[in-house]
Amino acid sequence: MQIKTAAIIGFGAIGCVYGRHLVKYMGDDFAVIAGGKRGDKLRENGIVIDGETLMPKVISPDDNNFKADLIILSVKNYALDSAIEDIENIITPETILLPIFNGIAGREKLAKAFPDNTVFYGLCRTDALRTDGGIICSWEGPIEFGNADNHELSSEVKAVKDLFDAAGVKNKVCTDMQRAVWLKFMRNVSMNQLAAVTGLSYGALRTIPEMSQSVKEIMTEVVNVARGEGIDLRYSDVEECYEIMAASSGDAKPSTLQDVEAGRPLETDIFAGSVIEEGRKAGVATPWNDVIYKLLKIKEASYTKH
């Protein structure tokens, strides 16, 4: 199997980091799916990342002329329903879907919407910031992807890995992708949400003991829920994930804090909301996320409803 055509929906700060490699490698065989004013703006001005202007091929969601062997979804979870509608004309029964957005529930929604397609587990870790002058990427981590179990690679996994390797997209196929997704989820639920509530960057993990302790307690809460769901998340992961976050640039801001500062909608339902829901299913208490959920809903309402 070979990936000859590919597309991405969600060509913002994160999608652009990885999509730029595919733009350069695949040319017009790679397309950005964007409609309306967003599509028109991309066609006219392109997008600037790290000082370089990209002019990708842009197709409208109602375009019936471009079919993709691979579609990467890099959207916010609250935009997933519309993204599902927007890729319907680009998808075929053989199209592979690779979500790299946050959360633990979006992949299942995709699989339900497209039951005949291969839908990977996926995630990415990167530090990208949207500025007036364009997108700045200070660190580009790999896209981690695959089926739930990758002890033996399927032909679809091999095909996507071959494409990424050839295009220069950093990537990693994890043996246990469910564990990998929950590990990132644990980081998002802890530092992302607490930063959004407090307005503090990663540097606070090294300078404010109460911030460090709170992040660890929130991660422990996620481990409790994951283990109740049969996911291989371990209490030793808490300290390891904390050390990774504490090693980040002190001025670096988690994406949820960036969303607050930009006045954008938050993914509270996907983060704290998911922990609360899964905790109830597993009979696990989630006091930290119960409180953070309410605080972030209040914060979001303060700038979206006034």
Side-chain angles (χ1 to χ4, degrees):
M1 182 179 184
Q2 183 180 6
I3 305 295
K4 296 181 179 179
T5 57
I8 189 169
I9 184 164
F11 204 58
I14 301 301
C16 186
V17 167
Y18 301 103
R20 60 178 165 179
H21 302 293
L22 296 170
V23 169
K24 296 174 184 179
Y25 179 72
M26 301 185 76
D28 284 346
D29 289 327
F30 177 76
V32 176
I33 305 168
K37 294 181 180 179
R38 170 65 173 163
D40 292 339
K41 185 177 180 180
L42 269 174
R43 289 186 191 91
E44 182 177 354
N45 302 321
I47 193 166
V48 178
I49 177 167
D50 293 336
E52 179 182 15
T53 301
L54 296 179
M55 299 297 294
K57 177 186 181 77
V58 181
I59 60 172
S60 172
D62 58 8
D63 191 331
N64 292 307
N65 298 315
F66 189 93
K67 303 298 179 183
D69 297 327
L70 168 69
I71 298 178
I72 301 169
L73 295 98
S74 178
V75 297
K76 294 287 188 179
N77 272 273
Y78 52 74
L80 182 55
D81 287 338
S82 60
I84 287 173
E85 294 179 2
D86 288 347
I87 66 175
E88 287 181 345
N89 283 330
I90 290 90
I91 199 171
T92 74
E94 290 73 39
T95 301
I96 299 167
L97 301 177
L98 172 54
I100 59 172
F101 46 71
N102 292 324
I104 55 175
R107 186 258 172 199
E108 304 311 316
K109 181 178 285 191
L110 270 177
K112 185 176 181 179
F114 303 104
D116 297 328
N117 291 86
T118 296
V119 183
F120 286 151
Y121 291 85
L123 62 94
C124 65
R125 296 191 181 99
T126 192
D127 286 333
L129 180 65
R130 191 192 303 270
T131 70
D132 292 339
I135 295 165
I136 297 174
C137 178
S138 58
W139 175 72
E140 182 178 339
I143 291 178
E144 299 178 31
F145 73 98
N147 297 307
D149 185 334
N150 297 289
H151 282 88
E152 292 187 10
L153 301 189
S154 67
S155 59
E156 292 86 357
V157 171
K158 290 178 181 176
V160 173
K161 180 164 181 54
D162 286 345
L163 171 64
F164 285 172
D165 287 345
V169 177
K170 294 181 180 179
N171 68 92
K172 178 181 179 182
V173 178
C174 299
T175 302
D176 183 346
M177 272 304 303
Q178 288 179 305
R179 169 175 160 77
V181 168
W182 272 82
L183 276 170
K184 185 187 178 187
F185 180 65
M186 182 172 71
R187 294 175 61 184
N188 288 151
V189 167
S190 58
M191 186 59 193
N192 268 38
Q193 293 193 126
L194 205 54
V197 169
T198 62
L200 297 172
S201 64
Y202 282 108
L205 291 174
R206 297 194 296 268
T207 59
I208 304 176
E210 291 81 4
M211 184 75 166
S212 301
Q213 186 61 34
S214 297
V215 164
K216 291 178 182 179
E217 289 175 0
I218 297 170
M219 284 195 285
T220 300
E221 192 167 284
V222 176
V223 174
N224 292 338
V225 171
R227 291 173 70 87
E229 291 288 296
I231 302 297
D232 182 24
L233 215 57
R234 309 154 196 168
Y235 294 109
S236 60
D237 293 326
V238 170
E239 196 62 38
E240 291 177 14
C241 284
Y242 170 79
E243 292 299 331
I244 291 172
M245 290 188 289
S248 299
S249 170
D251 295 330
K253 298 178 180 179
S255 59
T256 308
L257 175 55
Q258 294 181 42
D259 289 339
V260 168
E261 293 179 343
R264 292 190 289 262
L266 304 181
E267 293 183 296
T268 311
D269 290 319
I270 300 303
F271 292 156
S274 291
V275 176
I276 294 167
E277 181 180 354
E278 296 302 317
R280 286 173 180 164
K281 291 179 184 177
V284 177
T286 56
W288 261 109
N289 281 278
D290 292 342
V291 172
I292 287 178
Y293 182 88
K294 294 173 183 176
L295 290 174
L296 288 180
K297 283 295 185 180
I298 293 169
K299 183 175 284 290
E300 182 179 19
S302 71
Y303 60 75
T304 60
K305 296 182 179 180
H306 297 284

